[in-house]
Amino acid sequence: MKIHSILILGAKSDIGMAIAHRFAKAGYSIQLAARNIIELESDSKDIALRYNVKVTVHEFDVLKTSTHKKFLDNLPEIPSVTVSSVGYMGEQKINENNLEELTKVIRTNFEGPANIFSEIANKFEIRGYGTLIGISSVAGERGRAKNYIYGSSKSAFTTFLSGLRNRLSKKNIHVLTVLPGFVDTKMTKNLDLPPRLTVKPFELAKIVFNAYKKKKNIVYIGKIWFLIMMLIRSIPESIFKLMKL
């Protein structure tokens, strides 16, 4: 029986690590990729021992797009599945007034992931199969004054994934767009999140794995966010711009 493998970009994130555990539990070999591989060593050993799977660690910087092709060429194998859990929110007020921070948000959430996914998609297309899973956000569904820079970068990534899915739909390549709402992670630790609308990373990972197995195109984390965003998208712009959202 073929042992499937998964490459996790942004593996040090809470979401990335939760997804690694869920796929390892299902017997997948794991490739963990992040900027500081030393910080991945203990996690990689834990996953390997806990689930009796092969785990490798790889240095990866989503912002150094010129290194992405070499990064893929140096992997022990082209994975069956690739997940991008890379993300950077920053602070809206700082992003508005600091071009360097604004650029970092856009490049981390869109340019970098789009570049590496394009490289991997080409390899999948040549091989004839594969799955790409992009962690985007409901923040990209409509621009809000409180987080429109982060939201716009996620909106761009969502659109990219949609186009990639359309391009590869007849190539035996699955593209899954994941749209979380509030997730209890290090990135959101300073935010006052509503408990009833907030999920833990391990809950997200379970939903992602099930959506992957069912070959879904888009999945909201959780279902209530589909309804919430449908309502938000339906508000006329003349009214929406007056709302404090």
Side-chain angles (χ1 to χ4, degrees), residues 159-230:
T159 301
F160 170 82
L161 293 170
S162 177
L164 196 62
R165 179 164 49 247
N166 189 257
R167 169 195 152 194
L168 300 173
S169 60
K170 296 181 181 179
K171 304 287 187 176
N172 195 34
I173 298 170
H174 176 208
V175 179
L176 171 61
T177 302
V178 181
L179 297 171
F182 299 127
V183 186
D184 185 12
T185 65
K186 293 187 290 288
M187 192 170 71
T188 61
K189 65 180 181 180
N190 294 323
L191 302 179
D192 185 18
L193 304 180
R196 292 187 179 182
L197 295 178
T198 304
V199 300
K200 298 291 185 181
F202 76 88
E203 295 174 299
L204 180 148
K206 181 179 179 180
I207 295 170
V208 168
F209 182 80
N210 290 339
Y212 154 71
K213 296 296 287 186
K214 293 177 181 178
K215 290 192 174 295
K216 289 189 175 182
N217 297 314
I218 301 169
V219 62
Y220 285 81
I221 313 289
K223 293 181 179 179
I224 187 63
W225 281 103
F226 173 79
L227 297 174
I228 292 172
M229 298 317 299
M230 183 172 64

Side-chain angles (χ1 to χ4, degrees), residues 7-214:
L7 167 64
I8 300 174
L9 306 169
K12 273 303 294 180
S13 69
D14 296 320
I15 289 175
M17 194 52 61
I19 290 174
H21 277 269
R22 183 61 190 86
F23 275 79
K25 183 179 179 181
Y28 285 65
S29 62
I30 308 296
Q31 299 172 355
L32 301 174
R35 283 178 299 177
N36 191 339
I37 59 175
I38 295 176
E39 294 181 358
L40 290 173
E41 290 296 338
S42 60
D43 289 313
S44 65
K45 292 177 182 178
D46 175 49
I47 292 171
L49 288 172
R50 188 182 303 222
Y51 305 106
N52 192 30
V53 297
K54 180 181 178 181
V55 183
T56 56
V57 296
H58 309 276
E59 186 175 341
F60 173 74
D61 190 335
V62 74
L63 297 180
K64 294 181 179 179
T65 54
S66 63
T67 68
H68 288 182
K69 189 178 186 302
K70 183 177 180 181
F71 161 76
L72 291 176
D73 290 341
N74 288 337
L75 291 176
E77 63 175 323
I78 298 301
S80 310
V81 183
T82 298
V83 175
S84 175
S85 60
V86 175
Y88 179 68
M89 183 179 295
E91 296 183 25
Q92 176 65 31
K93 286 299 181 182
I94 295 176
N95 298 339
E96 290 173 14
N97 295 284
N98 186 315
L99 182 59
E100 185 175 334
E101 275 295 294
L102 183 150
T103 302
K104 182 178 178 181
V105 171
I106 294 172
R107 294 195 65 221
T108 303
N109 295 315
F110 172 57
E111 181 191 329
N115 187 83
I116 189 68
F117 264 25
S118 294
E119 295 279 3
I120 296 171
N122 293 339
K123 290 184 178 294
F124 282 179
E125 191 171 8
I126 293 170
R127 186 179 62 186
Y129 71 91
T131 297
L132 292 161
I133 302 175
I135 310 296
S136 190
S137 173
V138 298
E141 300 266 282
R142 192 160 191 181
R144 297 167 56 235
K146 292 182 180 179
N147 70 345
Y148 68 85
I149 292 174
Y150 171 76
S152 63
S153 65
K154 285 297 190 179
S155 178
F157 189 45
T158 296
T159 301
F160 170 82
L161 293 170
S162 177
L164 196 62
R165 179 164 49 247
N166 189 257
R167 169 195 152 194
L168 300 173
S169 60
K170 296 181 181 179
K171 304 287 187 176
N172 195 34
I173 298 170
H174 176 208
V175 179
L176 171 61
T177 302
V178 181
L179 297 171
F182 299 127
V183 186
D184 185 12
T185 65
K186 293 187 290 288
M187 192 170 71
T188 61
K189 65 180 181 180
N190 294 323
L191 302 179
D192 185 18
L193 304 180
R196 292 187 179 182
L197 295 178
T198 304
V199 300
K200 298 291 185 181
F202 76 88
E203 295 174 299
L204 180 148
K206 181 179 179 180
I207 295 170
V208 168
F209 182 80
N210 290 339
Y212 154 71
K213 296 296 287 186
K214 293 177 181 178

